[in-house]
Every structure is written in structure tokens, then in C-alpha cells.
Amino acid sequence: MATDQSNYSGYSDEYERRTPRQAAQRSGYASGAAAQRGQQRPVNGAAQRGGSAAYRSTGERTARGDYAAGTRTGGAGRGTSTGTRSAQGRDGAGQPPRSRAAYGGGNGSGNGMPPRGTSGQHRKRRKKRRTLQPRFIVLIVLLLAVVGIGVFLMRNAGAPGGEKEPGGITSIFATPTPSPSPTPEPTPVPTPTPKFDTPHAVDGTNPANWGYTSQVEVNGAQAESYQRETPISFGTGAEYTDVEGIVTFRGNNYREGAAYGTANVSAKTLSIAWQIDTGEIMRGSSSGYKNTWTGSLWVGQPLIVKWPESTKRVMNMYDSAKSNPELVEVIYATASGRVYFLNLEDGTPTRDPLDLNMPFKGAGALDPRGYPILYLGSGDMYDDYPEMQTRAMAISLIDFSILYEFGRAYDSFAIREWHAYDSSPIVNAATDTLIYPGENGIIYTIKLGTQYDEAAGTLTMQPSEVVKYRYNSSRSTTKSTYSYEKGEYKYWLGFESSVVTWGEYMYLTSNDGYVHCINLNTMEIVWIQDIWDDANGTLVLEEDEANRTAYLYAGPSLHFTQDANATGITPLFKINAVTGEIVWQHDMKVHTKSGASGGIQATAALGKGNISNLVIIPYARVYREDDPESADHGYTVAIDKNSNQEVWRQMTRFCWSSPLAIYDAAGNAYIVQADSSGHVHLFDGATGTKLFDLNTESKNFEASPAAYGNMIVIGNKDKKIFGIRIS
């Protein structure tokens, strides 16, 4: 702080009359105080540097040595780092001050100076005191130091072998080593409280209620129990992949949606940007080769991806595709037996079609790690044509080679003979594990042993563990006992829907009307819930961290529960993912008929943005009192997630295609719904207002759309794939 000069007025003569010893004392006080404060207030530049150096090297004791020697801190700055030698620096003890400034800050009160008018008396009293002169103090200190050093050297000289004790002579200047403190007991690290409760059964979801049993097979041998060596755990839907695009049915492991990025929506119209023709293939022996499979079918959906440039270089793309830095590729498996590869912007081919000569109803999936792998399963059995027999495959997108396949023949572990693969699989990237349900009632989990070297352009698989899970229940049968014609509406087991994963648990619906919760690491059933009827639509999962749970949205079609008039009630269920309990159900009366079921065949759209309170689902073949004979009506319905109240509904022709939610940058939602008449509708997501109706002048959309930015892609049964622009 600045010196208060008023405190010194009238005292200059007295300062000048001080003895050299008194002046030196006062200077020593000032420098010592500065050293104690770490030179917050320097006496002069040299004092700032010297005093702080002395303070740092020997601590408070050294600073006090300066006081005793009566040095100025300027001298200490040029001395050695010890307090003893600092006392003998330049401007040392006994040097008279040259001016009042030499005293530095002092303490503002004269620091022991007598009050005004009594200075003479004070001097007399001080003459009577017997004090040691500074030179005697210095001599005493030096003598003690010499004695201490001598003792130390003598002690070390006598050490065996002439060796000195650790530290040597310099140790007298070192900071003493503190005595070791007892090691404290480690403080236990508290286990973080999980965000969600652990899934478990309650009375109403105990699998035993339905006579449910399950078995596991590991590498061909049935096992009494199983524990996965490398545990599987999935992150959130947003964490499933870093790939730019849509890599599996409905986007990720939560099956939340099939739109990547946002759209710039201004005119609120739809227009056909491009279209291509696909083909057909004969049906398998199950239908007597009477008909053909055509176009894109009910659990199909395009995959859309923007590959990194380094990945494009190793793939079998056309050079024009490889050289296009903005290329976004559409990969579409169709019921014609071909997989098409197209430029999203204009529909032009990016490589030759992959002709596998077997029909594909499902979407397949891409590897979430960005590896150039397509996972795909065929949808019909060809007993008389071995090369067309249904199976599941991992296909290299470097050269179209088959990296691995399974399920070509009847699986002896299966209860049901039919073994098509309509599901869109999931891959756990951390453990390199494929999860693939089959219509034979088996869930396959396969540790793939994937080796991908992008620099070398090589890709291989060597699976090391194949684990199979099968189930049965008191009402599950095989298709051989099922017949509409005979009125035998008996449940058959199997999986056509795709898996949802949440942590270490997987969820899926089955043909015999259950929702299954299975632990992926033990392959044990946790709970099941009865949703009444055949479920082809895939579950959708939504987390609720505030209530430590998640919810599943599921709905069946109408098969086994129809009445004599081929009508019945089909609900959309909201289910607690932890316990399997039903939160609410939203009922709709529908028609059905063989080959074209009513009810829910689609997968719900889970609202976000300005429709985060809504879940949207189409009901097919809705029964209407004003038109009871018609089974062609359909409703797309928006339901409040919390209250189970309808917010809006729009009438269409009946729909199997899943609704697509597209969002603009502000979070406003637009719903795209394709129907069985070949129309594609655009609705305002919040109000349900119809914004546009696109007539593609073709037939029946069963497959579900996917979007990337402003472009929508969807195929239909009429052997066409459309690129549709929202603008």
C-alpha cells in the first residue's frame, strides 16, 4: 500500500539524528516485513528481487535472520540464498541511511520512534540499556554454524568404508524430511446409482403364467445355463452409430425413427424426384409356385448412408460414385431377389445390383461401426431349389462376397420348421456380436470375429461363438396346425419383428402375440407380456429417466382373435420396459382377411420436437359404422403418450407402411404416410392437418420410407422405388 507521508511530517530532523545502528535496525524491520509478506510491498527493485529469493530458499527463518543482522533487502538480493550470508550483502549492517526513502514502508508510525516532544528522554533511557552490538551477534551466529558443521563432518568421517551418510553436507540446507504419516484408510468410492431400475417380472408378467419355457444352445450343444464371457451392453439410440445415415430398420437400437438430419420445409409439398423399376421372383414351394414376389414388402425399408471417402475407395462403386464427394447412397433389398445401390439425389446406380436370387422382405442392416458390411436375410423357402433356400448372410460391400451365412437348412434346435429372416438385425459394436431373430422362433447371437483393414481393403469374419435362444409356451404352435380355411386360428411362434435393445436387455414381439424381455448376457427370459395377437410391427423404446424406466409401444395385427365376422379389437399398447406392465392401451375395431390382415402391421413413430408428447400409428382396415362392409379404410392416429387421448386422426386407405416423422431445424414435425392406394400423404405433425397428397399413380405401399435431409425413399409392391422430395 502507498506510504502515508503525513505520518512523517515534522520528523525528518529526528530521523536524521538517529544513530547508524537505529537506522540500520529500522531498515532491517522494513526488509524483514517485506520478506514475510513475500515482497508484496518492495522497498526498492533490488529488495523485491533479493528479499523474495531469500524468502523462498530458507523460509521465514531466513527472513528473520535479516532482521537480526540489520541488513537491507537490497543487500540480501546479491548475497547467497541463506539468511546468514544475506546479512553480509551490500549495504549491510551499520550503514547509515541516505534518505527517508531508504526505510521503505516501515509501519507508518516510526516503528518504535518516541512520541513528539520526548525524544531526549527516550535517548537517555536507551543509553542505560545494555545491548549486544550487531557484530557480536554475527560472530556468535558464525561460531555456532562452524561448530555445527565440524560436528557433522566428524560424524561422517567415521562412517564405515569412508562413506558419507545420505544427503551429505548439503542436507543441512535442505527441508527436513517429515516423519512418515500413517497411511490413511482409502475412502470408499460410492457406487453410482443407476439411472434406471433393473428389468424384472411382476405377478402379471411372470413367464410361468403362459407356460413359457426357453432353452439355450452354445456352439451346437444345449446348455443348462449360460453366461456371456464378454458382456453386452448397449448405449442409447443416439449412441448406436456414428455413421451418417439410416443403418437399420427405424434408425437405431431404440427404433425411434427413420429420418437422418433435418429438412428445409417451406412450400410443404411432395414431389417425385426420380423413380426406378425393380422386378419379381417366383414364390417358394410353400405357395406352390403359383405367384410371384414383387417390389418391396411390409417390413422392408431402404438403408441410406454417406460413406467416408476412405471407405468409398475400397468398395466396388462406379468411379463416378467414388469421385462424387457429396454422394449419399441408397441400399434397397427387394422382393425381386436384388439389392439396388442408388444415388440419393437422382436415383442413378452407384454400382451393379447384387442379384442373390431369393426374395427379401425385410430391410437388412449396415454395420454400425461403418464397416462395409450388409446383413440381410431372405424371406421364403425353396425346398426344390437349394441355391434359393432362405438364409441369413453377412455380405462384403467391398466385393459382394459372402463373409458368413447361417440358417440355410432346417435348424434342428428349432421347434418351427419355417426359417425365414424378415427382421432387421442389430450389431453390438463393442463385442462384435450380431443379434438376429428368425421366424423359426430362434434368436441367434453370433460373435463374428470381424477383421477389417481399410488401408489394405480386406474384410473377413471368423465367428467364434454361436448362441441360440428358443422358446415355447402353452399356446404356441407351428404353422402346420394353422389354417384360415379350417377355422383353426391357432397361434404360431416365431419372430418377424426387429429387436430393440436397452442396456443388456433385448425386447421383441412374436407371431404368437407376446412381448419378450430377455437378458442378453444370460439368455434368460425376464418377463413377457400378452398383446393378444400376431405382431409384425417392431417395438419402439422411449426412456423416462425421471421415473427410472422406459416405455415400449407395440401393437398386433388381427389374426387369431377375430370373431365370426372377421372383425375384432386391435390395441396400441404402452408397456413399462422394466416390469412389462401395461400402462395403457388404445383400442380400434378393425376387419381382417387372409393375406391382408387388419390392425397394426406398422411400427409407430415416436414424436420429438414439437410433437414430443405424441406417438403416431396407422390402423389398417378400420371398421366404420357408416360403411361396415368395406375393409379398405385406414386411420393414422396421433395419441398423447401420457393421457392416451387422441390428438388427431386422418383417414387414408388402409396402411401397412410405417409413418415417417421429418423435422425442420426449429423442431417442427411433418408426418409422411404412404398407403395401399399408392398415395403418399404429408400431415402437420402437431395438428394432423393434411398439407399434401402425392399420387404416385402406382399400387400399394407396404414397405416403410426413410429420409435423409429433404429426400424420402420408399418402394412399393408395384415394382418401383421412388425418390420423393419434401420442399
Side-chain angles (χ1 to χ4, degrees):
M1 78 183 165
T3 303
D4 185 356
Q5 296 294 330
S6 65
N7 289 337
Y8 296 106
S9 62
Y11 291 93
S12 60
D13 292 341
E14 291 188 37
Y15 284 141
E16 295 298 328
R17 289 195 297 270
R18 291 284 167 248
T19 64
R21 175 176 166 271
Q22 290 171 322
Q25 279 184 321
R26 182 169 179 82
S27 180
Y29 298 154
S31 64
Q36 271 190 307
R37 293 192 299 270
Q39 288 297 0
Q40 294 177 351
R41 187 191 184 319
V43 175
N44 53 42
Q48 185 177 21
R49 294 187 297 273
S52 62
Y55 188 72
R56 286 195 301 270
S57 61
T58 63
E60 186 178 352
R61 183 179 57 153
T62 303
R64 291 177 178 171
D66 288 341
Y67 308 164
T71 64
R72 295 196 317 192
T73 54
R78 290 173 174 82
T80 157
S81 62
T82 70
T84 306
R85 295 186 62 187
S86 296
Q88 300 178 18
R90 206 169 67 188
D91 289 336
Q95 296 295 321
R98 289 184 289 273
S99 70
R100 195 167 53 202
Y103 294 98
N107 61 10
S109 65
N111 201 9
M113 292 181 60
R116 191 172 182 179
T118 64
S119 59
Q121 296 175 1
H122 181 74
R123 283 197 302 272
K124 290 179 181 179
R125 285 197 298 271
R126 291 185 65 87
K127 287 180 181 179
K128 293 178 182 180
R129 293 178 182 173
R130 303 182 68 174
T131 59
L132 292 175
Q133 296 296 319
R135 60 180 174 269
F136 293 112
I137 296 174
V138 172
L139 288 172
I140 292 170
V141 171
L142 289 174
L143 180 61
L144 292 173
V146 169
V147 172
I149 292 171
V151 172
F152 181 88
L153 291 174
M154 291 176 64
R155 189 175 65 169
N156 277 281
E163 295 181 0
K164 295 185 172 49
E165 292 183 355
I169 192 168
T170 58
S171 66
I172 65 175
F173 301 109
T175 303
T177 303
S179 301
S181 304
T183 304
E185 292 292 328
T187 303
V189 179
T191 302
T193 302
K195 292 183 179 179
F196 304 99
D197 294 332
T198 302
H200 60 276
V202 295
D203 289 344
T205 62
N206 188 333
N209 297 344
W210 290 267
Y212 189 104
T213 59
S214 62
Q215 294 82 35
V216 176
E217 182 185 272
V218 182
N219 291 333
Q222 191 164 331
E224 291 297 321
S225 63
Y226 173 74
Q227 180 64 55
R228 201 173 298 276
E229 184 175 348
T230 306
I232 289 175
S233 183
F234 283 86
T236 65
E239 297 168 335
Y240 179 68
T241 180
D242 291 329
V243 174
E244 295 183 37
I246 304 298
V247 300
T248 188
F249 182 71
R250 307 299 277 184
N252 55 41
N253 57 309
Y254 285 9
R255 312 294 182 177
E256 298 171 293
Y260 180 83
T262 59
N264 182 11
V265 182
S266 54
K268 302 177 183 179
T269 61
L270 302 174
S271 60
I272 297 173
W274 52 265
Q275 67 181 63
I276 70 164
D277 294 329
T278 59
E280 62 185 33
I281 194 172
M282 69 177 183
R283 290 179 180 257
S285 57
S286 61
S287 54
Y289 307 106
K290 296 177 182 178
N291 300 301
T292 57
W293 295 112
T294 63
S296 304
L297 301 182
W298 66 90
V299 286
Q301 174 209 279
L303 308 173
I304 308 176
V305 59
K306 186 174 184 181
W307 298 105
E309 293 299 314
S310 57
T311 308
K312 287 165 61 179
R313 285 195 294 270
V314 304
M315 293 195 293
N316 57 356
M317 285 183 173
Y318 299 151
D319 290 341
S320 58
K322 289 184 179 181
S323 62
N324 181 359
E326 302 303 319
L327 177 71
V328 178
E329 188 174 44
V330 177
I331 302 174
Y332 213 146
T334 68
S336 68
R338 287 187 167 190
V339 182
Y340 293 89
F341 301 85
L342 309 169
N343 185 330
L344 173 68
E345 186 63 25
D346 58 17
T348 56
T350 55
R351 36 185 144 186
D352 293 338
L354 172 59
D355 193 350
L356 293 166
N357 199 33
M358 61 189 84
F360 302 100
K361 303 175 187 177
L366 297 171
D367 195 287
R369 298 165 288 189
Y371 296 175
I373 305 171
L374 172 64
Y375 304 95
L376 189 61
S378 56
D380 198 358
M381 297 174 61
Y382 294 85
D383 296 334
D384 299 331
Y385 298 87
E387 71 280 2
M388 299 177 69
Q389 284 182 346
T390 184
R391 54 195 182 271
M393 298 164 283
I395 303 166
S396 169
L397 296 181
I398 294 176
D399 57 9
F400 288 166
S401 61
I402 306 299
L403 300 169
Y404 176 69
E405 67 175 41
F406 64 93
R408 178 187 284 266
Y410 169 70
D411 193 322
S412 60
F413 188 62
I415 298 174
R416 185 183 176 192
E417 293 184 4
W418 183 267
H419 55 98
Y421 303 91
D422 291 353
S423 294
S424 180
I426 286 288
V427 174
N428 183 255
T431 62
D432 191 31
T433 302
L434 175 70
I435 304 167
Y436 214 140
E439 289 188 58
N440 58 0
I442 291 179
I443 302 171
Y444 298 83
T445 69
I446 303 167
K447 195 169 181 63
L448 295 170
T450 309
Q451 297 291 326
Y452 174 49
D453 187 335
E454 189 168 81
T458 59
L459 179 62
T460 61
M461 277 185 185
Q462 295 182 331
S464 59
E465 184 181 70
V466 178
V467 181
K468 303 175 186 178
Y469 173 96
R470 75 180 183 191
Y471 79 98
N472 205 350
S473 77
S474 56
R475 74 180 185 194
S476 303
T477 62
T478 66
K479 193 176 180 181
S480 61
T481 64
Y482 171 83
S483 172
Y484 272 109
E485 291 75 16
K486 297 178 181 180
E488 296 177 348
Y489 307 128
K490 294 183 179 180
Y491 296 81
W492 68 81
L493 54 79
F495 304 104
E496 289 182 74
S497 66
S498 300
V499 165
V500 163
T501 59
W502 188 44
E504 64 180 294
Y505 300 90
M506 64 176 166
Y507 303 84
L508 73 169
T509 60
S510 57
N511 292 135
D512 47 3
Y514 296 125
V515 176
H516 307 240
C517 173
I518 301 167
N519 187 308
L520 277 164
N521 293 318
T522 63
M523 300 304 289
E524 294 177 336
I525 187 69
V526 177
W527 57 256
I528 64 169
Q529 180 57 264
D530 184 7
I531 57 170
W532 302 7
D533 214 318
D534 178 22
N536 296 316
T538 292
L539 296 164
V540 182
L541 185 138
E542 176 186 37
E543 289 184 343
D544 181 4
E545 189 173 338
N547 291 305
R548 300 179 54 80
T549 190
Y551 302 107
L552 302 162
Y553 297 89
S557 57
L558 183 65
H559 274 161
F560 314 118
T561 56
Q562 60 181 289
D563 59 22
N565 298 316
T567 63
I569 301 297
T570 295
L572 178 71
F573 294 96
K574 180 178 180 178
I575 298 171
N576 187 316
V578 170
T579 64
E581 296 169 288
I582 294 173
V583 180
W584 53 251
Q585 66 185 63
H586 191 89
D587 296 340
M588 189 76 68
K589 187 175 181 179
V590 300
H591 299 267
T592 198
K593 68 177 184 179
S594 180
S597 303
I600 296 174
Q601 294 277 27
T603 297
L606 193 65
K608 299 178 181 180
N610 73 329
I611 61 166
S612 60
N613 62 315
L614 301 181
V615 58
I616 298 158
I617 191 69
Y619 291 86
R621 300 189 177 276
V622 174
Y623 180 88
R624 291 176 54 185
E625 295 289 346
D626 61 339
D627 192 10
E629 300 301 319
S630 176
D632 291 334
H633 302 298
Y635 286 133
T636 298
V637 180
I639 304 166
D640 187 279
K641 297 175 187 176
N642 298 314
S643 67
N644 187 27
Q645 298 300 307
E646 282 192 20
V647 176
W648 57 261
R649 67 163 64 185
Q650 275 285 356
M651 188 175 71
T652 63
R653 295 276 288 191
F654 78 88
C655 306
W656 284 10
S657 178
S658 302
L660 173 67
I662 294 176
Y663 301 87
D664 64 18
N668 299 307
Y670 302 88
I671 304 300
V672 177
Q673 179 70 70
D675 68 23
S676 59
S677 69
H679 286 243
V680 181
H681 308 276
L682 181 66
F683 304 131
D684 182 286
T687 66
T689 302
K690 182 178 287 190
L691 303 173
F692 201 82
D693 183 352
L694 176 65
N695 183 3
T696 65
E697 299 181 353
S698 62
K699 300 176 183 177
N700 198 2
F701 289 102
E702 289 186 0
S704 298
Y708 188 109
N710 276 63
M711 288 297 298
I712 304 161
V713 181
I714 185 171
N716 64 9
K717 287 191 72 175
D718 203 19
K719 298 182 285 187
K720 296 184 184 298
I721 298 173
F722 293 92
I724 298 172
R725 193 181 309 277
I726 181 171
S727 52

